[in-house]
Amino acid sequence: MRILILNWKDNSHPLAGGAEYVTYKYAVELTRLGHEVTLFSSSAAGLKAHEEVNGLTFIRRGNVYTVSLAACWWYLISG
C-alpha cells in the first residue's frame, strides 16, 4: 500500500515533540510491514526538501502556516 502522512512537522524539525516522534515510529513500522510511506511536513533551516531515511520518504515544503497548501499542490502535481 502507498501511504501519505501529512504532519505540521517531522521528527527532524527543530520544534518537533512527542507527536512527531510517535508519527515517525508509526511510519517506520508501516514501512517494516512492506508499505511505501511518504511523510509530508513543513520545512526548516538545515533540513533537506526531499530525503529518504529508514525506508521513509520525507517531503518538506512550506512552513507551519503554509504546509497544508504546499501539500495540496505537491499532491496534485506529483500524481
Side-chain angles (χ1 to χ4, degrees):
M1 188 179 329
R2 293 175 60 201
I3 300 170
L4 174 62
I5 299 173
L6 306 174
N7 208 28
W8 290 73
K9 302 174 290 254
D10 63 51
N11 61 308
S12 299
H13 195 282
L15 300 176
E20 289 75 27
Y21 178 75
V22 169
T23 301
Y24 172 76
K25 288 298 197 179
Y26 280 127
V28 168
E29 183 63 17
L30 288 167
T31 300
R32 191 188 69 73
L33 293 171
H35 302 292
E36 180 183 327
V37 181
T38 300
L39 204 156
F40 192 103
S41 65
S42 61
S43 186
L47 296 178
K48 295 178 182 177
H50 182 270
E51 184 174 28
E52 299 211 12
V53 177
N54 293 331
L56 298 173
T57 301
F58 288 86
I59 304 293
R60 299 179 182 105
R61 302 283 191 279
N63 58 41
V64 294
Y65 303 108
T66 63
V67 66
S68 297
L69 181 60
C72 288
W73 180 251
W74 177 83
Y75 183 77
L76 289 173
I77 64 168
S78 69

